Amino acid sequence: MTKTVALEFVDSVLTPNAFGVERASSDLKLGAMRVLAIDASLRNTGVAIVDATNGKPRSLYFGTIHNASSMRSSSCLVAIRDRLTGLIREHEPDCCALESVIYVQSYKTAIILGAARGAAILAAAENGLPIFEYTPNRIKQATVGTGAAAKNQVAFMVRALLGLTETPDADAADALAIGLTHLRSQDVARLGVPGATQI
């Protein structure tokens, strides 16, 4: 019974209704696209390569770029850029998607997050990828069905949506959710719903 309910819920969030558009789920077709999705952080950057083949999303890669606490911030930024560049060359994505800047109370945290995000954007831009961003609420809404979803809910849903055999860690799950949001956004944009912000 639990499995059936979960699958019904998955079907409901797969539709453009998550973006406020009514459309039958059977009509939803994803365009062929490969996305590098990034949840940037200085110490733990979530990364995913997600694409859509024959209208079905799939994960080609997901993981986390871990930078030890002993590493200087400048070295962490280089590591993020280098690892992302390697993934871009290996998987040849069509575009990059990431989370937009979020509000934080600490200016120090904001600077650190901004630097990590900048390293990620640089890696994508150097390799000629168009870059898109989404608000955290939109990512959660598109993936789980509510902008107030907890991280464990996001992880559960991306596992279900992509048919993964393991539950990704929080950072990788966030990256997968960003990738799925971008794939979905490209479809509903054709229905007149505003798409992502390109930066």
Side-chain angles (χ1 to χ4, degrees):
M1 175 62 78
T2 302
K3 184 175 181 182
T4 301
V5 173
L7 289 175
E8 290 174 351
F9 184 50
V10 168
D11 287 342
S12 70
V13 298
L14 277 174
T15 69
N17 192 45
F19 293 95
V21 176
E22 294 295 338
R23 185 178 180 189
S25 60
S26 60
D27 293 336
L28 185 62
K29 298 296 182 184
L30 294 175
M33 179 186 299
R34 181 168 295 182
V35 184
L36 166 66
I38 306 167
D39 180 39
S41 172
L42 190 68
R43 302 293 171 184
N44 297 289
T45 290
V47 187
I49 304 289
V50 182
D51 79 357
T53 303
N54 297 323
K56 183 176 177 61
R58 61 174 182 157
S59 169
L60 301 180
Y61 169 89
F62 64 86
T64 302
I65 302 171
H66 296 290
N67 290 321
S69 58
S70 58
M71 289 178 65
R72 293 183 181 274
S73 296
S74 55
S75 297
C76 292
L77 299 178
V78 172
I80 292 169
R81 177 191 173 210
D82 289 351
R83 180 61 179 139
L84 291 174
T85 296
L87 286 170
I88 291 169
R89 291 174 179 171
E90 179 181 355
H91 293 282
E92 300 182 342
D94 300 304
C95 59
C96 173
L98 44 85
E99 189 175 84
S100 61
V101 176
I102 60 173
Y103 173 78
V104 291
Q105 292 183 330
S106 166
Y107 74 88
K108 184 177 180 179
T109 300
I111 291 171
I112 291 172
L113 284 174
R117 192 169 179 271
I121 291 171
L122 178 62
E126 283 184 325
N127 287 277
L129 299 183
I131 304 164
F132 302 87
E133 63 178 7
Y134 296 88
T135 64
N137 283 351
R138 184 167 180 181
I139 295 164
K140 292 176 181 178
Q141 177 72 29
T143 308
V144 182
T146 171
K151 282 187 174 292
N152 63 330
Q153 292 176 298
V154 173
F156 172 82
M157 285 307 299
V158 296
R159 176 175 179 170
L161 290 168
L162 292 166
L164 303 177
T165 58
E166 61 180 301
T167 301
D169 67 35
D171 300 300
D174 285 347
L176 287 165
I178 292 167
L180 285 170
T181 300
H182 185 68
L183 291 176
R184 198 65 53 204
S185 174
Q186 299 312 293
D187 183 79
V188 298
R190 292 192 288 272
L191 302 178
V193 178
T197 300
Q198 186 170 357
I199 58 174

